[in-house]
Amino acid sequence: MNITKKEMFNGCLIASIAHAIMTNMYPELSYEQSWDGVNYSIHNTSGLRGTITFESDFCVGAIRNEKSDICVYGDSIRKHMMCFPNNVVHKAYEETLQYLLMERNGYIMPCVTSIFWANDITVYFEKKCIDVIKRDFILFEKILLQKEDAIDAWRNYYDMDSNSIKLLNELYQIKAKDFNSRIILSEEQKKLIPGICINDECIESLEELKIFLRE
């Protein structure tokens, strides 16, 4: 898998902006994607959920397949990070795994089926886990596409019109340069959001990306 942190980040950005826009048409799908600071989370209808934490020089991600019987819990996850640098392991336990908690034997603890990290060169994981990683990465199939292919994939998924795609491209160009930039949508941009009025789910999803309707 020749995947880098930058490619993964850009894919998450395209996905989450498309999701935020189209939550105005499909508020019932608001749970599928979210940002919490530097943590991006995604769920699908096939029982896969994952979170990726982005740092300046690396990202670390974990996935849980709800239908799998080979989940790894708590401190045992460390065995699946033997080749990971210490700072990556620390970040995984500090942030990433906190989004994948489950109750087990009366205790709340992280539960995953696979875990990985990436830098500007490639993605890394324990070689013994390659078969599970390949299956779990189906969760990121649209995220790992090249930009135009990714936009087409989300266009088809959400049935996005030309206005929605225009707004997606405008917001992506800004956020790809500076993720932490604060964006106030212009009246023209608000009109590009599909639907008669803008619902709470859409507003919340946009605000997770620091995109606001007003000052």
Side-chain angles (χ1 to χ4, degrees):
M1 297 180 185
N2 188 20
I3 303 162
T4 67
K5 184 207 79 167
K6 182 178 180 180
E7 289 168 340
M8 194 164 285
F9 174 75
N10 287 341
C12 291
L13 199 50
I14 291 169
S16 56
I17 294 173
H19 168 263
I21 294 169
M22 296 310 295
T23 296
N24 206 50
M25 295 297 291
Y26 309 108
E28 69 278 8
L29 300 182
S30 61
Y31 74 93
E32 287 189 341
Q33 296 185 55
S34 64
W35 278 98
D36 181 14
V38 295
N39 300 289
Y40 168 79
S41 296
I42 181 171
H43 306 168
N44 71 12
T45 55
S46 300
L48 285 168
R49 64 175 59 221
T51 294
I52 306 174
T53 302
F54 290 96
E55 292 291 291
S56 59
D57 55 345
F58 72 87
C59 69
V60 56
I63 303 168
R64 181 170 72 240
N65 184 342
E66 305 281 7
K67 299 178 180 179
S68 175
D69 57 0
I70 56 170
C71 288
V72 185
Y73 294 88
D75 292 338
S76 296
I77 298 172
R78 184 69 179 84
K79 297 176 182 178
H80 291 257
M81 296 190 285
M82 298 300 291
C83 68
F84 292 20
N86 288 335
N87 63 321
V88 175
V89 174
H90 176 74
K91 182 57 64 174
Y93 275 108
E94 182 183 59
E95 296 206 45
T96 318
L97 295 172
Q98 298 307 307
Y99 294 86
L100 294 161
L101 300 175
M102 279 189 72
E103 182 179 348
R104 179 175 170 83
N105 299 325
Y107 295 94
I108 302 296
M109 62 183 70
C111 172
V112 304
T113 46
S114 58
I115 190 162
F116 61 92
W117 75 282
N119 57 17
D120 291 330
I121 300 173
T122 190
V123 64
Y124 305 89
F125 49 88
E126 289 290 334
K127 294 297 185 285
K128 64 182 179 182
C129 304
I130 187 168
D131 291 337
V132 178
I133 284 278
K134 284 181 177 179
R135 288 196 295 270
D136 283 357
F137 259 53
I138 291 172
L139 180 64
F140 301 136
E141 60 182 346
K142 296 183 185 69
I143 287 168
L144 299 178
L145 296 172
Q146 294 297 311
K147 178 189 172 186
E148 295 307 321
D149 291 336
I151 289 175
D152 282 342
W154 291 112
R155 183 206 309 266
N156 292 333
Y157 182 75
Y158 289 120
D159 192 22
M160 299 175 75
D161 61 19
S162 58
N163 285 340
S164 301
I165 295 297
K166 179 181 179 182
L167 182 58
L168 167 58
N169 275 302
E170 288 180 5
L171 297 176
Y172 172 75
Q173 292 301 324
I174 298 170
K175 283 292 177 178
K177 292 178 181 176
D178 180 8
F179 178 67
N180 291 313
S181 61
R182 180 184 172 92
I183 300 174
I184 307 297
L185 293 182
S186 67
E187 291 303 317
E188 298 269 325
Q189 289 174 320
K190 291 177 193 176
K191 292 176 183 177
L192 298 177
I193 297 174
I196 299 172
C197 59
I198 302 177
N199 63 36
D200 291 341
E201 291 83 359
C202 179
I203 293 170
E204 182 178 350
S205 293
L206 288 169
E207 288 183 352
E208 289 174 357
L209 287 155
K210 296 184 181 178
I211 300 170
F212 302 92
L213 299 186
R214 59 185 64 87
E215 291 283 358

